[in-house]
Amino acid sequence: MRETLVDLLAGNAEHAAEFGDRFGDVQDAQHPEAVTVCCSDSRVLQDHVWGNDQPGRLFTCGNIGNRVVQEGDAGPVVSGDVLYPLAHTGTEVAVVVGHTGCGAVTATYDSLTDGIDEPSGIEHCVGLLAAELDSGVEALPDDLGRGDAVNHLVEYNVDRQVEFLLESDDVPDDVTVVGVVYDFQDVYTDRRGEVHVVNVDGERDVATLRQENPEVADRIRRQWSY
């Protein structure tokens, strides 16, 4: 048996020993406080980002590029894994979590500027992002290097995913939709691993967001205005 699996199972044994008594209230049902839509990047630890160790608190979705969009028979729709807790478990907060240096956004940027050659499954996912980011690439300042361009587009992608949720008739009107960027590359500050709020219910202006959300004003910042 591969050593990696042995190590994973050993880690699970520790998890079971620590968490075994935490499932009593959620064995038969779940009512998570929030659904988080994170990039599946291995550096983004979905529960640990929030310091969460409580089963049932967060409904976590992951895919490359933290997309809320999937392709339905009639066109783009809100992905079912994101929509499920909003429609069925009473969850009233959705958080789109982008991250600095996102590989999916990088691939999309490369696809829109130079083209890429990837397996069809990856190209499909990049295509879903490209439909949202094409206008963002066109709006980028001319003097940006590739890395800065990608991090600008990380914010732009978060905004587009937030916008898609807000505009969907499938998402209940009382759901609060938040966009954040998880930074482990010192792009926003030197506090690696910190989450920065860039969008709340479609509002992107930093001054307005800080005025309307004083309790988290120090965590609201953006790298790009457009």
Side-chain angles (χ1 to χ4, degrees):
M1 186 173 291
R2 291 182 180 272
E3 183 178 352
T4 296
L5 179 57
V6 173
D7 289 343
L8 288 172
L9 291 174
N12 174 253
E14 296 178 5
H15 164 79
E18 180 181 355
F19 279 73
D21 61 352
R22 302 187 192 183
F23 290 94
D25 295 334
V26 294
Q27 282 183 299
D28 299 320
Q30 60 171 327
H31 301 283
E33 300 171 18
V35 53
T36 62
V37 189
C38 298
C39 185
S40 51
D41 190 294
S42 63
R43 297 165 293 183
V44 182
L45 305 177
Q46 293 197 41
D47 279 290
H48 286 260
V49 163
W50 312 107
N52 180 54
D53 61 1
Q54 186 60 46
R57 185 183 178 204
L58 297 177
F59 194 102
T60 54
C61 308
N63 57 63
I64 60 170
N66 42 274
R67 305 180 320 276
V68 306
V69 181
Q70 70 181 31
E71 197 66 36
D73 293 338
V77 295
V78 175
S79 179
D81 49 359
V82 179
L83 189 59
Y84 178 83
L86 303 177
H88 292 290
T89 69
T91 303
E92 296 183 346
V93 177
V95 186
V96 178
V97 186
H99 71 89
T100 52
C102 179
V105 172
T106 300
T108 305
Y109 173 74
D110 290 342
S111 175
L112 289 169
T113 53
D114 298 318
I116 59 172
D117 181 16
E118 294 284 355
S120 59
I122 294 177
E123 287 197 349
H124 174 73
C125 293
V126 169
L128 292 174
L129 282 179
E132 304 295 325
L133 300 189
D134 189 20
S135 55
V137 171
E138 291 294 328
L140 286 171
D142 293 333
D143 58 348
L144 287 181
R146 183 167 177 266
D148 287 337
V150 167
N151 283 322
H152 279 54
L153 289 173
V154 164
E155 282 187 358
Y156 191 84
N157 180 43
V158 167
D159 290 335
R160 297 287 71 75
Q161 306 305 317
V162 168
E163 180 181 51
F164 196 84
L165 288 175
L166 291 173
E167 292 182 350
S168 172
D169 292 335
D170 294 325
V171 175
D173 292 338
D174 59 353
V175 170
T176 297
V177 184
V178 182
V180 306
V181 176
Y182 179 64
D183 181 19
F184 49 78
Q185 296 181 330
D186 304 331
V187 173
Y188 291 79
T189 70
D190 60 359
R191 297 188 294 276
R192 293 177 185 171
E194 196 165 75
V195 165
H196 304 281
V197 178
V198 299
N199 190 316
V200 178
D201 284 335
E203 180 59 64
R204 304 190 307 264
D205 179 70
V206 170
T208 301
L209 286 171
R210 286 176 175 170
Q211 182 177 7
E212 294 178 349
N213 305 274
E215 65 276 22
V216 294
D218 63 328
R219 303 295 289 277
I220 297 171
R221 52 179 58 85
R222 294 184 64 94
Q223 294 294 306
W224 190 26
S225 298
Y226 58 91

